[in-house]
Amino acid sequence: MMLLDETASGILPGNSGGREKPLSSYPLYIAGKDVEGDGWVYTVSARSLLEDVFTSVSLKRALEQDPDSDAAQHPYVVGRCAIASDAAIDLATEAAAAAAPGWAAVPLERRLRLGTLFREELLRRQDEFVDMLVSEAHPVKLARWELSCLLQVYSEESIDWYRQRMHTEFDHAGRRLIVRRQPDGVVAFNPPQNAPAPSAALAVLALMAGNAVIVRAPRSIALSTMWVLRDVVAPLLDEVGAPPGVLNAVCSNPKQTLDRWVRSPLVDDIFYIGGSQEGLRFQEQCVAHGKKPILELAGNDGIIIWEGADLTYAAEAIRESFYGSGQICMVPNYVLVHPSIADELIEEVKKQVATVRPGYPEDPEVLLSPVRRSEKFFGLLKQTLDLGAELVTGGRRTEVDGTPSETGVFLQPTVVRVNGLAGAREHDVVRHETFFPLLPIVVPEPAPNDQLLDSFIDFVNSNEYGLRNSLWAKSARVINAFVQRVTNGGLLKINDSHIGFLPYLPSHGGTGLTGGVYGEANYPMLKTSHIQGVSVARDVSPIEAVFGTFDA
């Protein structure tokens, strides 16, 4: 294993082979140094998969067989990341453990400054951030939405809120009382493949809490993660005087890495983002090995539409279900609508859905992404139709220009109507997150409003998942009932975008199969720290403190 000089990250020297931009090249980043890996994985531009799929696939195969082949110079190849061995993963863990105590001792205000600097740097380099995500198949419009998440998470308002939760003091009976949160130590991050860079960027919150972190960049899509951590975050840590090893980034196999993290006595928390069943099994392993599992698993978000709601705005929020072809955990997954307005709402949704189209990711009007393994989509669609659902719109593959096709890599936005609330969860499209552009609209049988309201709230609260829920209503009584009685989920939005981000409120986290047994709204700065109480007394007699009289 070799350390490389400081010029090793960023741009690969040598012949560019006629490419428009130099090839981005990232070694491993361990203990403040660039470290040589065991070979490379390459990122091929998302556009290439739509423009010339044969060349794109051929390039990936050639580079998998020979990472140093001339194929790396093709303009479709946008970057490469070094692969970590077992030894490199362990070295990163050791570096984090060595750095953690020194960083935890740094005053909170200096650590909080990291969040402010990170936001400023994201704003300064927002075009680079968006370009990175676009190269990994994120439509440019959604890449900007992902950036908006980080800008709110690290906003001045949010950081001030974190400050209050991390350290509060009281003066009481001759004592200085402190309620504070202390860092857990070493936090390991496992971002998902569908949004690795924005998820990895949450590691900055764990750093602000005083932890040292290790981040695994997914092998299949590592470039944007390494860019965020190595090019954006690492220099900021130097600026605030963090010790080397506070941040470590490795590109590696998930099972290989997670197994080593679980077994390592040096790792305290593991931030896991993935599917529910795998995540819950992983939670058991963590607890058995004395780790804190922080889970971000599947969603199955609901939008509830009550009579009297603004149906145009409600349909706009429902339209968010199809952003990224539904391959985003926090988009709506089902709609529950008051039967008196169901037909009107469905017509409005059809109009809105017709504007969601496929295309190249750099097109600012495109919202659909290519979908792999679409056979499951058609299986889910068939099951719900066989159970009596009605196809409202969509249901076919489509080419990049929107032409229906049996071989297209996109799926049409698809809406089905499910009649009846009692048997709705017999439909897998209602019960579980599908991760496809497939949305059921559930229409209950007509009933008195009080009865419907109770059944709507019961339906939301009995969802096995619990990421986000939304309500569209004008009735203050209905709104208050939802606010007071909905206990499921990490976030409840009323008459608002389902996926929009706001300061103070959580961007992630939930209950049930979304967050595991410790599930709740996820503020990573709080999740990776623990509460501690402190009393600093002045001239207090211990005997008096224990046996003295109490004020009435």
Side-chain angles (χ1 to χ4, degrees):
M1 190 179 305
M2 293 175 57
L3 293 180
L4 306 177
D5 64 39
E6 291 301 323
T7 64
S9 70
I11 304 303
L12 179 71
N15 179 20
S16 65
R19 67 173 62 254
E20 294 180 6
K21 294 181 180 180
L23 183 73
S24 297
S25 183
Y26 291 95
L28 311 173
Y29 186 68
I30 300 173
K33 299 290 184 181
D34 294 306
V35 177
E36 189 177 62
D38 287 358
W40 301 92
V41 289
Y42 287 81
T43 296
V44 178
S45 72
R47 184 181 180 90
S48 71
L49 293 168
L50 304 176
E51 197 170 68
D52 186 347
V53 66
F54 177 78
T55 298
S56 176
V57 171
S58 298
L59 283 169
K60 289 183 75 69
R61 285 177 178 168
L63 291 167
E64 286 170 0
Q65 294 170 1
D66 179 11
D68 295 317
S69 76
D70 291 341
Q73 300 304 325
H74 194 283
Y76 280 163
V77 181
V78 295
R80 68 179 189 171
C81 297
I83 303 169
S85 63
D86 287 350
I89 294 168
D90 292 345
L91 183 64
T93 303
E94 292 161 9
W103 179 237
V106 168
L108 175 63
E109 284 304 317
R110 179 142 58 103
R111 301 197 313 258
L112 290 174
R113 184 167 172 261
L114 177 65
T116 301
L117 293 173
F118 182 52
R119 186 180 194 276
E120 291 172 353
E121 192 69 1
L122 285 176
L123 282 170
R124 187 178 74 83
R125 304 177 70 171
Q126 58 184 292
D127 291 343
E128 291 177 76
F129 179 88
V130 169
D131 287 347
M132 276 287 175
L133 298 193
V134 169
S135 74
E136 294 179 344
H138 297 228
V140 63
K141 206 164 192 173
L142 293 182
R144 294 193 180 106
W145 164 73
E146 291 170 276
L147 175 63
S148 76
C149 171
L150 299 178
L151 296 181
Q152 293 292 8
V153 166
Y154 296 100
S155 67
E156 182 180 346
E157 298 94 332
S158 293
I159 289 176
D160 186 59
W161 190 87
Y162 306 147
R163 178 185 289 109
Q164 295 173 40
R165 270 68 194 167
M166 291 298 292
H167 190 105
T168 305
E169 296 197 13
F170 308 92
D171 190 49
H172 173 76
R175 297 171 178 85
R176 176 188 172 209
L177 303 182
I178 305 169
V179 180
R180 65 184 182 186
R181 301 191 71 91
Q182 294 285 64
D184 288 342
V186 174
V187 181
F189 277 77
N190 180 63
Q193 293 189 61
N194 66 319
S199 300
L202 298 177
V204 174
L205 291 165
L207 290 166
M208 291 161 61
N211 300 289
V213 304
I214 321 147
V215 182
R216 184 191 76 83
R219 276 190 59 156
S220 61
I221 187 166
L223 193 65
S224 63
T225 299
M226 295 302 293
W227 176 81
V228 165
L229 298 174
R230 179 64 186 88
D231 285 5
V232 182
V233 180
L236 300 179
L237 284 166
D238 291 340
E239 186 173 337
V240 299
V246 162
L247 171 67
N248 305 274
V250 295
C251 172
S252 56
N253 176 278
K255 186 176 188 309
Q256 165 201 24
T257 309
L258 291 169
D259 285 350
R260 301 192 80 78
W261 285 348
V262 167
R263 292 196 302 266
S264 172
L266 302 178
V267 174
D268 297 287
D269 301 352
I270 303 180
F271 198 116
Y272 178 94
I273 304 178
S276 288
Q277 298 309 316
E278 301 89 342
L280 294 178
R281 287 194 293 269
F282 183 70
Q283 173 181 258
E284 293 178 3
Q285 295 178 45
C286 287
V287 173
H289 286 82
K291 315 291 180 195
K292 180 194 289 186
I294 303 169
L295 305 181
E296 282 289 333
L297 308 178
N300 188 30
D301 295 11
I303 291 188
I304 315 305
I305 317 295
W306 195 257
E307 63 178 358
D310 186 317
L311 297 188
T312 300
Y313 280 167
E316 284 184 18
I318 292 169
R319 180 178 181 261
E320 295 170 3
S321 173
F322 303 104
Y323 294 0
S325 293
Q327 299 172 110
I328 301 170
C329 64
M330 60 185 68
V331 298
N333 281 271
Y334 73 88
V335 176
L336 181 56
V337 58
H338 194 289
S340 69
I341 57 168
D343 293 341
E344 187 180 357
L345 175 73
I346 288 171
E347 285 305 309
E348 185 62 34
V349 169
K350 284 178 65 176
K351 293 179 190 175
Q352 294 278 355
V353 167
T355 67
V356 180
R357 65 178 182 83
Y360 292 100
E362 61 268 26
D363 183 335
E365 299 307 314
V366 165
L367 286 167
L368 291 177
S369 302
V371 177
R372 299 176 183 177
R373 299 184 296 275
S374 57
E375 294 77 14
K376 185 178 178 182
F377 165 86
F378 290 103
L380 289 165
L381 179 58
K382 181 179 185 304
Q383 188 227 31
T384 192
L385 295 178
D386 287 347
L387 287 172
E390 303 166 16
L391 181 64
V392 174
T393 187
R396 299 186 62 184
R397 292 186 178 92
T398 179
E399 298 290 348
V400 68
D401 62 357
T403 304
S405 163
E406 294 303 313
T407 58
V409 295
F410 292 89
L411 294 171
Q412 291 178 334
T414 301
V415 178
V416 296
R417 174 174 178 151
V418 176
N419 292 307
L421 192 60
R425 288 202 174 111
E426 295 175 8
H427 301 247
D428 286 346
V429 295
V430 177
R431 183 173 181 179
H432 300 294
E433 177 186 66
T434 67
F435 233 54
F436 291 117
L438 175 54
L439 180 72
I441 297 180
V442 179
V443 183
E445 302 85 350
N449 273 353
D450 286 348
Q451 182 179 330
L452 279 173
L453 182 58
D454 288 343
S455 64
F456 276 31
I457 292 174
D458 288 345
F459 194 82
V460 171
N461 282 335
S462 61
N463 187 358
E464 295 172 278
Y465 303 82
L467 187 56
R468 296 181 173 208
N469 292 299
S470 290
L471 169 69
W472 284 84
K474 288 185 178 177
S475 164
R477 183 179 71 87
V478 171
I479 291 172
N480 288 338
F482 268 78
V483 170
Q484 292 171 13
R485 294 169 55 191
V486 169
T487 57
N488 186 39
L491 187 65
L492 175 62
K493 304 284 282 291
I494 311 290
N495 296 328
D496 203 348
S497 161
H498 189 85
I499 66 171
F501 300 104
L502 295 164
Y504 308 114
L505 297 184
S507 58
H508 293 71
T511 54
L513 296 182
T514 295
V517 296
Y518 307 103
E520 61 181 354
N522 188 350
Y523 293 91
M525 192 171 182
L526 307 185
K527 278 283 194 177
T528 60
S529 58
H530 53 275
I531 294 177
Q532 183 183 70
V534 179
S535 171
V536 181
R538 300 180 298 274
D539 299 322
V540 171
S541 163
I543 293 176
E544 185 68 20
V546 174
F547 300 111
T549 57
F550 294 95
D551 294 334

